[in-house]
Amino acid sequence: MELRDIQALVLSADPDAQHYESSTDGGPFTVWAETSRLNLAADDRIVRGWRFAVDRYTQAEFDPVAEAIEAALAAAPGVSYQYIVDYDPEDGWIHHAFTCEGV
């Protein structure tokens, strides 16, 4: 999996997602970023991939974009992920954090 593959995967779930940081002012948003390169060796072959993060920030309790991100990650061949949700009661923001690996 290369960076353009990750970008296409994330954009398939949220066409407004941005790389590294969002320019959105005050509304829900999604950002993604690569975090480290994977070099997996097996059977005298090296398979390259990426660890990457996808973060969705929203105030909607059942956010359809967060659901779409999880569905896209689950359906993507060679992608594994951990999904954590964090809620900030002071401002009402929900953070959907996906930590992923893709080869």
Side-chain angles (χ1 to χ4, degrees):
M1 175 170 263
E2 295 301 328
L3 293 179
R4 297 274 184 206
D5 301 320
I6 298 167
Q7 179 184 40
L9 176 62
V10 174
L11 292 177
S12 75
D14 183 356
D16 296 323
Q18 297 182 355
H19 197 198
Y20 300 123
E21 60 184 57
S22 175
S23 60
T24 302
D25 188 24
F29 65 93
T30 304
V31 293
W32 69 275
E34 66 277 12
T35 59
S36 63
R37 188 60 141 153
L38 299 173
N39 289 302
L40 307 173
D43 297 328
D44 295 325
R45 270 184 356 145
I46 293 185
V47 177
R48 296 183 66 178
W50 284 97
R51 284 190 183 95
F52 61 99
V54 182
D55 295 288
R56 172 70 179 169
Y57 295 88
T58 181
Q59 291 181 311
E61 183 176 359
F62 296 101
D63 184 55
V65 174
E67 293 171 359
I69 293 168
E70 183 175 28
L73 292 171
V79 173
S80 61
Y81 65 94
Q82 180 182 22
Y83 180 14
I84 297 171
V85 179
D86 186 37
Y87 174 69
D88 185 343
E90 287 187 26
D91 60 17
W93 282 95
I94 303 165
H95 176 200
H96 299 268
F98 300 90
T99 304
C100 314
E101 290 187 356
V103 293

